[in-house]
């Protein structure tokens, strides 16, 4: 195949997180995949591309994760149960033509 441009983006947590005790052996912030709370520190929450959640790392995913993290963080601050649950939602736009795209949800 011949390419005019080829871009490759490797999603990865930043180096300072990879070396941190809050990260797992692969360098991702180690969180519960539902509550987004650290598995090691109750007062730490994380979302998005730096976490070890099994979902795709997309803007749609973080949009769904954000209100859950905020809810759970407030619950933790107030000494209440962390009960907000992220369902793993993600989506990805697939461009199929000029001004046309499909939104793949998974």
């Amino acid at each position: 195949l011949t390419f005019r441009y080829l871009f490759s983006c490797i999603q990865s947590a930043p180096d300072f997180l990879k070396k941190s005790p809050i990260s797992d052996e692969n360098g991702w912030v180690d969180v519960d995949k539902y509550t987004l709370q650290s598995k090691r520190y109750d007062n730490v929450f994380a979302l998005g591309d730096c976490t070890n959640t099994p979902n795709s790392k997309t803007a749609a995913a973080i949009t769904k994760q954000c209100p859950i993290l905020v809810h759970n963080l407030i619950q933790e601050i107030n000494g209440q149960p962390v009960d907000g649950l992220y369902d793993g939602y993600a989506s990805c736009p697939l461009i199929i033509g000029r001004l046309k795209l499909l939104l793949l949800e998974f």
Side-chain angles (χ1 to χ4, degrees):
L1 296 172
T2 302
F3 297 95
R4 185 170 185 181
Y5 299 102
L6 176 63
F7 298 96
S8 176
C9 298
I10 299 171
Q11 291 177 322
S12 177
D15 286 341
F16 76 91
L17 283 177
K18 288 180 185 178
K19 298 172 185 173
S20 169
I22 66 171
S23 295
D24 66 14
E25 63 279 355
N26 296 312
W28 302 101
V29 177
D30 195 16
V31 297
D32 179 277
K33 68 181 180 179
Y34 301 110
T35 65
L36 307 173
Q37 184 175 28
S38 170
K39 291 180 181 176
R40 300 173 190 189
Y41 304 98
D42 289 343
N43 64 338
V44 173
F45 291 80
L47 71 167
D49 293 3
C50 69
T51 67
N52 64 354
T53 56
N55 60 286
S56 299
K57 311 301 187 200
T58 66
I62 199 169
T63 299
K64 288 289 190 173
Q65 291 172 347
C66 190
I68 291 156
L69 184 146
V70 169
H71 169 81
N72 286 340
L73 183 59
I74 291 169
Q75 292 290 95
E76 177 69 22
I77 289 169
N78 291 327
Q80 300 297 314
V82 175
D83 58 2
L85 302 176
Y86 172 59
D87 64 5
Y89 175 85
S91 69
C92 183
L94 177 63
I95 298 171
I96 59 171
R98 185 164 187 223
L99 302 176
K100 294 181 183 180
L101 67 86
L102 292 173
L103 185 60
L104 306 174
E105 295 183 292
F106 39 95

